[in-house]
């Protein structure tokens, strides 16, 4: 199946996907705790019968039973070396079941690990491991690929690239969103969509998560910005425990009532996930039959994304400010820090510019004496964790840009691509491969054109070449090419002509590097602000500038208002609401933070690099270790927990702050011991219960607890009840934490707790996992933690 055929299929009809494979096979005899892929190969008729039922029920596409058949998941069973053969054989089974009546999608899912920058698994290693699975599925003759149940956008990118770099078959990618509308690592539906469709996904959507009602909200949020078909595979509601069995109470009829709403919301492909069966798909197929799907609302979109935020470049909205300050030119402190691999100044510039109104951050690390490729990637990874703003990568090194675009978990902006032969021939295919927008710089190998006419000629030539790589005008920002008026009094006028032509005739968005206009002149901020107002009046879309210049931002805000870009003067009123006086005056009046307050601030911001120096300084100013811990470290991490609860912080920031606190605590430990302070060795057992091989949530909890000073004994996944209880007894653990992700394994938690009480375990039991509820915890005599932060709080109370 090729991409065009897939596109036509989704335009012609609502494509019906299959329902659950795992929960259905477990109902039909697959034991808990076994490797599902191996069991299916030993019992092929069970799969063949189920998948033939899905085809008979009206499914157009069935998924191979290879959800966990990647290298990392197979390691748990010692089967990782057989990844290729397992995937090939399982795909062949699905191919046999589908016959000539259905299509087969090679199913790929999470590794169970967190990938850089959120975790410690190397991105390219993840891509290579996924490629092993992709090659096996191709050998088994799949028609297309389905990447699903992804909780981390970076991991979804790794799987998508693995498919794209191996074959040209269509790829569908589904994320899993929590009830708050975010993924585990904080991605919202629109940012996930923009990132994945830009990278080359042929359909994007959502699966598993909760039930159909919540999933409708996700699909509706995506549709206005989707240039690819959307898909949905909801669970049959949330599971409940009845007579020690987990049940999905939603009936096929109840599930089916949502199908018309999904079609109206713009879904092009629809199926079921956990708890659904051929009976569900039969009703869905009948309801969807003859219904005309909504085509994607747009063919292209001008948008940048990070892992947690999207910036839409709307011509009718206020001018977008791209912060220019992360650039070592003329900044000695930043230069020295970058050479040492430190990020203090990068952190400061990013935070200040975000607070001052930048919507995107320009990142330039070019200077002598550094490895630009390595350093640009390091800064990108740091900023991905510490800010929500999308990034613009400013570099003359093709190698550096290719490396950072490959690993950046969003849709970035490249600054820039010109008609220079080496640059355009090497950079255009790289930019297109990773779905980046780019700044079109109108110069070539011969000259820097002084006139608007000469620049327009180059703009047209570069665009013609970009179109061959799939670029549209929505994917490009044309640089007006600002030159200094100190050397050519007409320089500003020529740039304004280019901006106006781009807006009125060529219909493309524009950008300027604003500070160039005033180079060599006194009172540069005045010149910059005046030129910005003129450029906005000609149709300027974005500007690369310093948002810390008060006059510049004031003029920009007023220009947006006067040109009808600021509806109801909201931006203007917000900017001039009393707090936006001259920032220099604000700084003068602001009292300096005390040493303890600086420690508090470092933990809240996740400033691991600086925390030890701050703690040392605090002790030199007569703060005791007890003071530092009780008055500053603990309140700071409690503040972080509050921010996490309010969804202002997400998993990456939570981990950064926890690591910072742990670093401070480890530094203070010798002083506490010298003072004969009793350091309680708080032991916690963690385990994913028997039959369950999912442990990403447990691993995050373990990381957080260690950073809070607990002695964590992690027994891993698929752990027998006797092993857990024996370890709890031998270590006299204060707390036993149990995890389960599957509805069929959560009942094992009750067995562990009953065995523990019978054997005399005195520790407290805490349980968690996607399918676990507070009600279930109370029924089995445990405490419930809905996430890692709540697990920490519970353990602190105990």
């Amino acid at each position: 199946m090729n991409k065009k055929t897939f596109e036509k299929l989704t335009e012609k009809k609502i494509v019906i996907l299959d329902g659950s494979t795992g929960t259905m096979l477990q109902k039909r005899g697959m034991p808990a705790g076994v490797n599902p892929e191996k069991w299916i190969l030993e019992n092929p008729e069970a799969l063949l019968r189920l998948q033939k039922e899905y085809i008979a029920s009206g499914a157009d596409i069935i998924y191979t039973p290879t959800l966990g058949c990647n290298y990392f998941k197979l390691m748990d069973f010692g089967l990782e070396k057989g990844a290729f053969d397992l995937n090939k054989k399982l795909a062949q089974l699905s191919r046999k079941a589908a016959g000539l009546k259905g299509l087969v999608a090679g199913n790929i899912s999470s590794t169970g690990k967190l990938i850089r920058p959120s975790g410690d698994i190397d991105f390219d290693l993840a891509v290579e491991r996924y490629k092993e699975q992709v090659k096996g599925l191709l050998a088994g003759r799949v028609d297309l690929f389905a990447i699903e149940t992804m909780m981390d956008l970076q991991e979804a990118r790794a799987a998508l690239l693995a498919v794209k770099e191996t074959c040209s078959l269509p790829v569908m990618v589904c994320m899993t969103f929590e009830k708050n509308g975010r993924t585990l690592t904080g991605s919202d539906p629109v940012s996930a969509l923009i990132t994945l469709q830009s990278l080359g996904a042929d359909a994007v959507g959502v699966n598993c998560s909760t039930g159909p009602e919540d999933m409708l909200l996700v699909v509706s949020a995506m549709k206005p910005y989707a240039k690819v078909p959307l898909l949905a595979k909801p669970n049959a509601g949330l599971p409940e425990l009845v007579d020690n069995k987990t049940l999905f109470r939603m009936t096929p009829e109840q599930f089916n009532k949502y199908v018309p709403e999904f079609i109206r919301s713009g879904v092009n492909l629809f199926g079921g996930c956990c708890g659904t069966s051929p009976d569900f798909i039969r009703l869905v197929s009948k309801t969807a039959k003859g219904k005309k799907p909504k085509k994607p609302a747009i063919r292209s979109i001008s948008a940048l994304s990070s892992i947690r935020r999207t910036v839409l470049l709307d011509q009718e909205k206020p001018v977008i400010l791209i912060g220019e300050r992360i650039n070592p030119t003329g900044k000695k402190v930043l230069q020295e820090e970058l050479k040492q691999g430190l990020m203090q100044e990068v952190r400061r510039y990013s935070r200040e510019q975000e607070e001052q109104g930048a919507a995107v951050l320009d990142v330039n690390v070019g200077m002598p004496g550094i490895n630009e490729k390595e350093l640009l990637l390091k800064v990108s990874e740091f900023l991905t964790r510490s800010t929500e703003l999308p990034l613009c990568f400013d570099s003359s090194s093709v190698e550096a840009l290719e490396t950072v675009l490959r690993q950046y978990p969003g849709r970035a902006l490249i600054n820039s691509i010109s008609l220079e032969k080496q640059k355009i021939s090497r950079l255009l295919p790289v930019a297109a491969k990773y779905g980046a927008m780019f700044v079109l710089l109108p110069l070539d190998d011969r000259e820097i054109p002084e006139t608007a006419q000469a620049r327009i000629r180059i703009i047209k030539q570069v665009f013609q070449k970009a179109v061959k790589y799939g670029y549209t005008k929505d994917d490009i920002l044309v640089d007006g090419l600002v030159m200094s008026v100190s050397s050519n009094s007409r320089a500003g006028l020529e740039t304004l002509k280019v901006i106006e032509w781009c807006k009125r005739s060529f219909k493309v968005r524009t950008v300027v590097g604003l500070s160039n206009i005033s180079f060599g002149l006194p009172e540069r901020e005045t010149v910059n602000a005046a030129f910005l107002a003129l450029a906005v009046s000609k149709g300027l879309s974005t500007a690369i500038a310093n948002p810390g210049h008060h006059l510049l931002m004031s003029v920009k805000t007023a220009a947006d208002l006067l040109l009808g870009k600021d509806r109801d003067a909201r931006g203007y009123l917000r900017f001039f609401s009393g707090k936006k006086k001259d920032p220099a005056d604000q700084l003068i009046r602001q009292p300096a933070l005390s040493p303890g307050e600086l420690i508090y601030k470092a933990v809240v911001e996740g400033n691991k690099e600086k925390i030890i120096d701050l703690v040392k300084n605090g002790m030199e100013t007569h703060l005791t270790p007890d003071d530092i811990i009780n008055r500053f470290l603990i309140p700071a991490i409690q503040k972080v927990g509050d921010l996490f609860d309010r969804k202002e912080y997400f998993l990456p920031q939570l981990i950064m702050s926890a690591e910072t606190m742990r670093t401070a605590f480890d530094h203070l430990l010798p002083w506490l011991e010298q003072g004969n302070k009793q350091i309680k060795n708080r032991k916690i057992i963690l385990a994913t219960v028997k039959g369950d091989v999912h442990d990403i949530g447990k691993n995050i909890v373990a990381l957080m607890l260690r950073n809070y000073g607990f002695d964590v004994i992690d027994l891993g996944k698929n752990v027998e009840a006797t092993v857990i209880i024996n370890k709890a007894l031998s270590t006299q653990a204060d707390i036993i934490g149990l995890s389960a992700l599957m509805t069929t394994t959560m009942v094992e938690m009750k067995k562990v707790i009953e065995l523990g009480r019978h054997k005399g375990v005195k520790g407290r039991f805490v349980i968690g996992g996607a399918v676990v509820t507070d009600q279930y915890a109370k029924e089995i005599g445990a405490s419930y933690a809905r996430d890692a932060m709540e697990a920490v709080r519970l353990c602190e109370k105990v």
Side-chain angles (χ1 to χ4, degrees):
M1 186 183 208
N2 60 40
K3 293 175 181 286
K4 196 66 182 173
T5 305
F6 176 78
E7 183 182 359
K8 287 181 179 178
L9 178 64
T10 60
E11 290 175 353
K12 180 182 176 183
K13 59 172 292 189
I14 302 296
V15 179
I16 305 301
L17 309 172
D18 65 7
S20 170
T21 298
T23 53
M24 285 301 299
L25 289 178
Q26 285 165 345
K27 281 184 178 180
R28 296 183 180 189
M30 184 172 73
V34 301
N35 173 257
E37 291 81 14
K38 187 178 178 183
W39 183 88
I40 290 168
L41 289 178
E42 293 169 351
N43 302 271
E45 286 304 319
L47 178 75
L48 289 170
R49 187 166 59 252
L50 174 63
Q51 293 199 319
K52 285 178 180 178
E53 287 175 26
Y54 277 127
I55 293 290
S57 298
D60 299 300
I61 301 175
I62 57 173
Y63 287 20
T64 59
T66 52
L67 193 76
C69 207
N70 62 66
Y71 180 91
F72 293 102
K73 283 290 183 74
L74 291 173
M75 281 179 67
D76 299 324
F77 302 95
L79 300 171
E80 66 274 15
K81 292 181 180 178
F84 176 90
D85 286 335
L86 280 170
N87 280 281
K88 177 183 175 181
K89 290 174 182 176
L90 291 164
Q92 287 172 335
L93 278 178
S94 293
R95 177 84 274 158
K96 183 177 179 181
L100 300 174
K101 296 180 180 179
L103 298 169
V104 176
N107 198 5
I108 296 171
S109 190
S110 174
T111 62
K113 312 287 183 184
L114 282 174
I115 295 173
R116 292 179 65 91
S118 296
D120 56 5
I121 298 296
D122 180 75
F123 181 79
D124 279 325
L125 174 63
V127 174
E128 290 307 309
R129 293 308 190 198
Y130 274 129
K131 282 183 180 178
E132 296 169 7
Q133 185 176 11
V134 171
K135 290 173 183 175
L137 292 167
L138 286 170
R141 296 190 302 120
V142 298
D143 299 294
L144 69 163
F145 284 87
I147 298 166
E148 67 170 354
T149 325
M150 288 297 195
M151 296 178 277
D152 178 18
L153 186 55
Q154 184 72 318
E155 187 171 41
R157 290 183 72 254
L160 178 54
L161 278 175
V163 177
K164 283 186 63 183
E165 292 177 351
T166 309
C167 69
S168 59
L169 294 184
V171 195
M172 308 180 292
V173 187
C174 275
M175 302 299 296
T176 291
F177 295 89
E178 299 180 2
K179 246 187 153 7
N180 61 22
R182 298 268 181 167
T183 67
L184 177 69
T185 50
S187 297
D188 62 280
V190 176
S191 296
L193 169 74
I194 297 295
T195 300
L196 294 168
Q197 70 181 11
S198 299
L199 191 59
D202 299 284
V204 175
V206 54
N207 81 295
C208 203
S209 304
T210 54
E213 188 172 357
D214 290 332
M215 194 172 285
L216 272 167
L217 300 175
V218 174
V219 173
S220 298
M222 287 182 173
K223 191 63 179 182
Y225 311 103
K227 62 179 186 177
V228 297
L230 296 183
L231 71 94
K233 287 191 87 180
N235 291 340
L238 291 172
E240 296 179 29
L241 188 71
V242 179
D243 296 329
N244 286 329
K245 292 182 180 180
T246 50
L247 298 176
F248 288 90
R249 288 193 180 275
M250 184 173 280
T251 65
E253 291 76 18
Q254 290 170 328
F255 185 86
N256 187 54
K257 286 180 180 178
Y258 289 96
V259 175
E261 292 184 63
F262 274 100
I263 295 172
R264 283 194 294 271
S265 71
V267 153
N268 306 89
L269 306 97
F270 189 82
C273 203
C274 301
T276 60
S277 69
D279 290 336
F280 283 70
I281 301 307
R282 186 175 295 107
L283 283 179
V284 167
S285 177
K286 287 179 180 178
T287 301
K289 188 174 182 179
K291 300 290 193 302
K292 190 71 175 174
K294 285 185 180 179
K295 290 184 180 181
I298 54 175
R299 302 302 297 176
S300 58
I301 185 168
S302 192
L304 301 171
S305 63
S306 70
I307 202 167
R308 295 187 297 279
R309 185 185 293 184
T310 292
V311 173
L312 299 170
L313 306 181
D314 189 334
Q315 288 277 56
E316 306 308 315
K317 295 291 177 65
V319 170
I320 296 292
L321 202 292
I322 302 172
E324 69 178 4
R325 298 182 69 195
I326 303 176
N327 185 326
T329 304
K331 301 183 182 79
K332 289 185 179 179
V333 175
L334 179 59
Q335 289 173 10
E336 288 306 311
E337 280 200 356
L338 289 175
K339 286 177 181 178
Q340 297 175 50
L342 301 176
M343 296 291 142
Q344 293 306 312
E345 287 293 275
V346 171
R347 179 194 301 275
R348 182 170 72 86
Y349 285 136
S350 68
R351 282 186 178 273
E352 287 178 356
Q353 291 184 108
E354 184 170 2
E355 291 168 0
Q356 292 159 350
V360 179
L361 297 178
D362 187 80
V363 181
N364 184 323
V365 299
M367 60 179 173
I370 54 105
N371 183 322
E372 187 173 357
K373 182 172 77 171
E374 291 180 3
L375 185 56
L376 187 61
L377 178 59
K378 183 171 183 177
V379 172
S380 169
E381 289 187 336
F382 173 77
L383 289 172
T384 295
R385 296 178 75 192
S386 61
T387 180
E388 291 186 358
L389 300 188
L391 302 182
C392 168
F393 297 113
D394 186 351
S395 175
S396 58
S397 167
V398 177
E399 290 78 14
L401 286 172
E402 182 167 15
T403 298
V404 77
L405 287 177
R406 182 175 181 80
Q407 302 201 32
Y408 177 64
R411 190 189 194 199
L413 176 65
I414 295 176
N415 187 8
S416 56
I417 297 178
S418 67
L419 197 56
E420 295 164 291
K421 189 174 180 181
Q422 278 216 342
K423 206 167 189 182
I424 195 166
S425 62
R426 296 179 64 192
L427 255 184
L428 258 183
V430 169
K433 176 179 178 179
Y434 298 111
M437 290 186 66
F438 73 87
V439 172
L440 192 164
L441 187 64
L443 56 84
D444 58 20
D445 291 308
R446 296 177 301 169
E447 61 174 344
I448 299 175
E450 292 191 2
T451 67
Q453 188 176 3
R455 295 174 195 177
I456 288 169
R457 174 182 55 81
I458 293 174
I459 291 167
K460 290 178 178 178
Q461 288 178 279
V462 173
F463 180 68
Q464 286 171 359
K465 292 180 182 293
V467 167
K468 295 176 183 177
Y469 289 94
Y471 274 96
T472 71
K473 290 177 181 178
D474 282 332
D475 303 313
I476 295 168
L477 294 176
V478 171
D479 192 330
L481 196 56
V482 176
M483 309 293 286
S484 175
V485 292
S486 65
S487 57
N488 179 357
S489 61
R490 291 192 58 82
L493 293 173
E494 296 302 315
T495 300
L496 293 174
K497 288 178 186 177
V498 173
I499 294 169
E500 187 171 25
W501 174 82
C502 286
K503 168 70 173 178
R504 298 187 186 281
S505 301
F506 202 52
K507 310 295 183 186
V508 68
R509 292 164 181 79
T510 48
V511 64
V512 292
L514 197 59
S515 59
N516 293 345
I517 194 72
S518 62
F519 184 78
L521 294 174
E523 297 296 329
R524 294 185 66 186
E525 189 177 344
T526 303
V527 178
N528 293 346
F531 184 71
L532 176 61
L534 292 171
V536 174
S537 74
K538 298 297 183 183
L540 182 71
S541 314
T542 64
I544 301 173
N546 181 355
H549 288 164
H550 183 69
L551 175 60
L552 178 78
M553 295 301 287
S554 298
V555 170
K556 174 196 135 23
T557 306
D560 286 334
L561 173 64
L562 294 172
L563 291 166
K565 292 173 173 283
D566 182 8
R567 187 176 178 183
D568 300 327
R570 290 174 186 171
Y572 185 88
L573 294 172
R574 186 167 57 249
F575 186 86
F576 290 105
S577 61
K579 63 178 182 178
K580 288 285 184 181
K581 303 298 181 186
D582 190 323
D585 293 340
Q586 236 179 5
L587 288 174
I588 291 169
R589 293 196 303 269
Q590 198 173 47
L593 295 178
S594 70
E597 288 170 333
L598 288 170
I599 292 169
Y600 176 96
K601 184 171 183 277
V603 173
V604 172
E605 294 180 353
N607 195 341
K608 186 178 174 181
E609 286 178 351
K610 205 173 180 180
I611 191 65
I612 289 179
D613 287 339
L614 292 173
V615 168
K616 287 178 179 177
N617 183 54
M619 294 179 72
E620 288 170 3
T621 56
H622 308 298
L623 285 175
T624 67
D626 274 350
D627 286 336
I628 292 170
I629 290 170
N630 295 317
R631 290 173 54 197
F632 302 108
L633 290 181
I634 290 175
I637 206 67
Q638 288 171 340
K639 173 67 174 178
V640 170
D642 291 340
L643 291 170
F644 180 76
D645 288 341
R646 298 203 302 265
K647 299 308 171 189
E648 294 178 37
Y649 271 20
F650 298 96
L651 185 63
Q653 297 102 314
L654 188 66
I655 292 173
M656 286 175 71
S657 291
E659 288 175 346
T660 302
M661 191 191 73
R662 177 67 181 182
T663 301
F665 184 82
D666 286 347
H667 180 75
L668 290 170
L669 201 56
W671 279 273
L672 294 169
E673 290 170 342
Q674 286 173 15
N676 294 319
K677 290 280 182 183
Q678 186 179 359
I679 309 299
K680 186 180 178 185
N681 197 17
R682 304 175 295 176
K683 284 189 170 61
I684 296 182
I685 303 286
L686 289 183
T688 302
V689 294
K690 180 184 175 183
D692 205 315
V693 294
H694 302 87
D695 68 347
I696 189 168
K698 172 186 65 64
N699 293 343
I700 292 167
V701 171
L703 173 65
M704 290 295 295
L705 288 169
R706 288 189 178 108
N707 284 324
Y708 272 75
F710 287 93
D711 179 7
V712 178
I713 303 166
D714 190 344
L715 300 180
K717 49 198 169 187
N718 192 21
V719 186
E720 293 273 0
T722 52
V723 173
I724 298 170
I725 296 309
N726 288 341
K727 179 61 75 171
L729 289 168
S730 65
T731 59
Q732 295 185 329
D734 301 287
I735 297 167
I736 301 93
L738 305 175
S739 174
L741 188 70
M742 300 194 308
T743 56
T744 51
T745 57
M746 61 187 279
V747 294
E748 187 69 20
M749 291 173 161
K750 183 178 181 182
K751 296 178 184 177
V752 175
I753 293 171
E754 287 175 345
L755 180 63
R757 298 303 179 218
H758 177 71
K759 294 279 188 178
V761 170
K762 294 179 180 178
R764 178 119 160 235
F765 287 91
V766 177
I767 67 173
V771 295
V772 178
T773 63
D774 186 43
Q775 180 183 347
Y776 178 60
K778 289 174 181 175
E779 287 176 8
I780 64 174
S783 299
Y784 168 66
R786 72 177 185 275
D787 55 40
M789 197 66 234
E790 190 164 298
V792 170
R793 290 193 183 111
L794 269 173
C795 294
E796 288 281 7
K797 285 180 183 178
V798 174

